[in-house]
Amino acid sequence: MKYTHNKDIVSLAKNLRKNMTPEEKHLWYDCLRTYPIKFLRQKVIGNYIVDFYCSKLKLIIEIDGYQHFYEESKEYDNKRTEYLENLGFYVLRFENTEVNKDIEEVRYIINNVCEALSNGVRVVPEYRE
């Protein structure tokens, strides 16, 4: 399945790149910016902007703040994740608290998922409650 690039939200993505949340900054500067495989920040895919994107592995990493825990947000996130997975992306989600409290565990999970995807292993995305 191919997606179209929504040019109408590119300026929003640029703005989000300039104004990352503290948790996005933490993950970017302490892990993904210098990761051996290239990641991009706030990438437009279809009508969505994903937090972090690795084209080589078709990996998307999302950092979820408190607003993602409301019922309507969960429904939106589920629809969004389903759309991205149908495009062949692997969506890995972390909560803000995970990034803030245990960046080493987050890094460990990212490393394991990247290694598996690099070896052609499509693991089932793990959704932590």
Side-chain angles (χ1 to χ4, degrees):
M1 182 179 193
K2 189 107 170 114
Y3 68 91
T4 56
H5 182 86
N6 183 346
K7 294 177 182 168
D8 294 335
I9 60 174
V10 169
S11 62
L12 175 58
K14 287 180 182 178
N15 188 42
L16 290 171
R17 232 174 274 133
K18 292 178 186 174
N19 298 294
M20 290 190 294
T21 67
E23 293 77 17
E24 289 170 342
K25 286 180 183 177
H26 190 20
L27 186 59
W28 178 249
Y29 289 109
D30 295 337
C31 182
L32 298 178
R33 182 175 62 102
T34 58
Y35 202 79
I37 302 169
K38 184 177 181 172
F39 277 87
L40 300 174
R41 300 174 289 155
Q42 282 74 31
K43 169 75 172 155
V44 176
I45 298 178
N47 290 318
Y48 301 106
I49 301 170
V50 301
D51 292 336
F52 300 100
Y53 167 75
C54 175
S55 64
K56 181 176 182 176
L57 300 177
K58 293 197 76 164
L59 172 62
I60 292 169
I61 299 174
E62 291 290 307
I63 308 299
D64 294 340
Y66 69 90
Q67 68 276 16
H68 291 268
F69 304 119
Y70 296 114
E71 202 54 45
E72 56 275 358
S73 295
K74 287 181 183 180
E75 289 174 24
Y76 174 82
D77 283 346
N78 288 338
K79 177 182 168 190
R80 184 176 186 265
T81 298
E82 183 180 343
Y83 169 79
L84 295 167
E85 288 176 344
N86 284 336
L87 291 173
F89 293 106
Y90 182 96
V91 180
L92 184 58
R93 301 187 89 87
F94 295 99
E95 294 178 12
N96 280 350
T97 55
E98 292 177 283
V99 174
N100 288 328
K101 291 184 179 178
D102 200 351
I103 191 69
E104 290 306 317
E105 177 68 13
V106 170
R107 185 180 290 133
Y108 175 80
I109 292 168
I110 291 170
N111 285 337
N112 285 342
V113 168
C114 287
E115 183 176 332
L117 294 173
S118 291
N119 291 323
V121 177
R122 297 289 295 180
V123 293
V124 176
E126 178 184 327
Y127 298 100
R128 293 168 303 282
E129 294 294 326

